[in-house]
Amino acid sequence: MKKTILILFSLNFLLFLSCTNDDSDDRYAEYIVARPLVMSKADFATSVTIVAPKPIEESGKVYAYGNYIFINDKYRGIHVINNSNPQQPVKVGFINIPGNIDISIKNDYLFADSMMDLVVLDISDIDNIQLVNRLEDVLYNNVFFPMEADLFEYEDYDYDTEIVVGWETTTERRLKSEVEQRNGGFVLMDGLAAAESSDSGTGQGGSLARFKIVDQYLYAVDSHNINVFDISNLDSPQDLEDVYVGFDIETIFNQGNYLFLGSMRGMYIYDITSPATPTLVSEFEHGTACDPVVVDGDYAYVTLRGGNWCGATESGLFIVDLTNIESPVLAESYPLDGPYGLGIKDEKLFVCDGASGLKVYDKTDIHDLQELNHFEDIVTFDVIPLDSHLIMVGDGVLYQYEYLNNNIKLLSQIGLN
């Protein structure tokens, strides 16, 4: 009898434990946890290497140049893909660049950030890429925390000999009270320095780009500034005076003599008639949200993504009238779910709406956008509309679409994992 009671008690206790840890327990929730990627400073200084193709860890931005596509692996480097045949793209190599987020290319010279450094590579022979220059500490405010994270966790490390080159994020189940008590767990670690118009010989980046080459100048935005480089000598860029912009600068786009900067607070417009010294023309405020911007004619198209560190709770598309460049005004807005990059080709507007897929609109009438296609059940991040077809990168996948007339169809997809 005692054994029976003991067994029943044990079963009830186990049942109690399973219930308290059950997925339905409202004391718990799923959170995105960020942890730093750390390496020694000595290794960092000699870390740019070219290796065989490897699986992607986390899809970043995409860049097209000639017959090649370059896909950023966040904080780790760049995957190189031969796209001579868009129906059968081939992975050909990986450029290891710790702390890398952005690139831009002109006349076979690739410019990339490596945390606070700017590196220059000669890619004229794609099978024998060469590092030709490294400018140290020229991107001082190039510190980017993963805005989607709810918690930041890190182990102590040696500030004198080690450096944080990026972040790795995972989704984990945590006690709500723990997260609330830690106020998001955000710790600012002192000591860390963490489709556009195209010129001849210059590639195309997406709307999420922080690098933009215009003629003989490279503009690289960090969280506060426009970093200006004279690249008239491609293998020996000259670091010019930075232009202070504000806070939370995220993206850069060029049309004519203007740079359009996307920030969490709004869109800033700078005149580059004097290219070495961009000057503020105007700004358009939209509240607090993560946003890229692209421009076509008299309109700027801005996607706003809310949630987490982005601030806003709602997401959407803002269309801004630039007829008076000194006083941009909101012309129209449309709701979206969780957008990232966007691109424009003629009358078509392509929007990467995160987990809600790729959305294609006819923008002939900005006051009445017409949805042409919606590619669902895919995660979308950044997009580049080329003359011949569309390139899009999602969650570890490169997609390419043909868009003749309104008949948009998938050309190919290649997993990068």
Side-chain angles (χ1 to χ4, degrees):
M1 182 68 177
K2 290 182 178 179
K3 289 184 177 179
T4 302
I5 293 174
L6 181 61
I7 291 171
L8 288 174
F9 174 79
S10 298
L11 290 173
N12 287 332
F13 181 69
L14 290 172
L15 180 61
F16 169 77
L17 286 178
S18 66
C19 288
T20 57
N21 289 281
D22 187 81
D23 287 345
S24 61
D25 190 338
D26 60 8
R27 296 180 305 161
Y28 292 83
E30 297 288 333
Y31 294 98
I32 299 175
V33 182
R35 294 181 177 87
L37 301 170
V38 180
M39 70 185 303
S40 73
K41 291 182 178 179
D43 289 341
F44 177 75
T46 59
S47 56
V48 178
T49 56
I50 291 83
V51 298
K54 59 189 294 186
I56 197 166
E57 297 285 341
E58 184 178 359
S59 301
K61 302 170 189 180
V62 61
Y63 194 92
Y65 179 76
N67 289 326
Y68 291 91
I69 296 173
F70 300 82
I71 298 177
N72 166 250
D73 199 333
K74 290 182 73 173
Y75 312 118
R76 294 173 174 86
I78 303 163
H79 298 269
V80 184
I81 297 171
N82 186 328
N83 199 44
S84 299
N85 180 1
Q87 294 182 325
Q88 293 182 316
V90 179
K91 295 181 283 187
V92 296
F94 179 74
I95 308 173
N96 184 65
I97 310 177
N100 172 252
I101 297 177
D102 282 275
I103 71 167
S104 198
I105 302 173
K106 181 170 184 177
N107 294 340
D108 292 338
Y109 282 89
L110 184 152
F111 301 86
D113 62 329
S114 181
M115 292 298 288
M116 72 294 291
D117 296 351
L118 177 70
V119 298
V120 186
L121 297 100
D122 182 344
I123 61 168
S124 56
D125 181 354
I126 208 72
D127 297 318
N128 187 31
I129 297 173
Q130 299 290 321
L131 175 67
V132 296
N133 209 332
R134 184 182 195 109
L135 280 66
E136 297 182 353
D137 298 323
V138 293
L139 301 171
Y140 184 75
N141 292 302
N142 209 36
V143 182
F144 306 115
F145 293 94
M147 305 303 290
E148 72 277 12
D150 302 295
L151 281 171
F152 287 79
E153 292 188 344
Y154 64 98
E155 300 294 334
D156 290 336
Y157 67 97
D158 190 332
Y159 287 85
D160 294 326
T161 63
E162 294 181 316
I163 186 172
V164 172
V165 296
W167 298 87
E168 187 172 41
T169 57
T170 57
T171 300
E172 300 177 11
R173 188 169 172 78
R174 296 292 185 88
L175 274 170
K176 293 180 181 178
S177 57
E178 173 196 346
V179 177
E180 292 169 0
Q181 183 178 10
R182 294 172 59 179
N183 194 28
F186 181 82
V187 180
L188 181 61
M189 290 178 277
D190 187 30
L192 294 189
E196 58 200 49
S197 51
S198 177
D199 302 318
S200 177
T202 305
Q204 279 188 263
S207 63
L208 300 175
R210 287 178 177 265
F211 277 28
K212 180 68 187 100
I213 292 175
V214 183
D215 296 327
Q216 305 300 317
Y217 291 83
L218 167 66
Y219 302 98
V221 293
D222 59 35
S223 59
H224 297 78
N225 307 296
I226 304 174
N227 299 271
V228 185
F229 298 91
D230 181 337
I231 58 170
S232 51
N233 292 321
L234 291 169
D235 60 351
S236 183
Q238 300 300 306
D239 182 24
L240 304 182
E241 191 74 22
D242 296 348
V243 176
Y244 178 77
V245 177
F247 295 94
D248 303 320
I249 307 303
E250 297 179 314
T251 63
I252 185 170
F253 189 91
N254 165 243
Q255 178 175 271
N257 288 326
Y258 297 103
L259 297 177
F260 298 84
L261 311 184
S263 81
M264 287 182 62
R265 292 171 172 78
M267 175 183 68
Y268 299 93
I269 303 174
Y270 275 76
D271 189 326
I272 53 171
T273 303
S274 298
T277 55
T279 56
L280 179 65
V281 175
S282 60
E283 62 182 276
F284 171 79
E285 295 184 355
H286 55 53
T288 305
C290 296
D291 78 314
V293 54
V294 297
V295 180
D296 183 44
D298 290 332
Y299 294 99
Y301 298 77
V302 183
T303 53
L304 306 181
R305 187 176 75 260
N308 295 305
W309 292 96
C310 293
T313 56
E314 297 182 356
S315 299
L317 169 71
F318 277 22
I319 303 178
V320 182
D321 189 337
L322 303 174
T323 303
N324 181 355
I325 197 74
E326 296 181 356
S327 183
V329 294
L330 179 65
E332 198 62 78
S333 63
Y334 296 89
L336 291 169
D337 297 323
Y340 286 85
L342 71 164
I344 289 172
K345 180 63 177 175
D346 299 327
E347 80 287 352
K348 294 182 179 65
L349 169 66
F350 304 89
V351 178
C352 294
D353 201 6
S356 294
L358 174 66
K359 297 178 179 178
V360 186
Y361 300 94
D362 183 330
K363 66 173 185 62
T364 302
D365 182 358
I366 64 157
H367 299 291
D368 185 24
L369 293 186
Q370 297 296 312
E371 185 175 290
L372 301 175
N373 295 82
H374 184 187
F375 296 90
E376 302 180 75
D377 302 321
I378 56 174
V379 177
T380 59
F381 183 66
D382 202 5
V383 62
I384 299 176
L386 301 175
D387 289 336
S388 57
H389 64 287
L390 184 79
I391 293 173
M392 185 187 73
V393 65
D395 188 12
V397 181
L398 170 67
Y399 300 89
Q400 300 192 66
Y401 295 89
E402 182 180 70
Y403 51 81
L404 296 175
N405 299 318
N406 289 335
N407 182 26
I408 302 170
K409 64 179 182 179
L410 183 67
L411 276 177
S412 65
Q413 69 180 66
I414 177 174
L416 303 170
N417 296 320

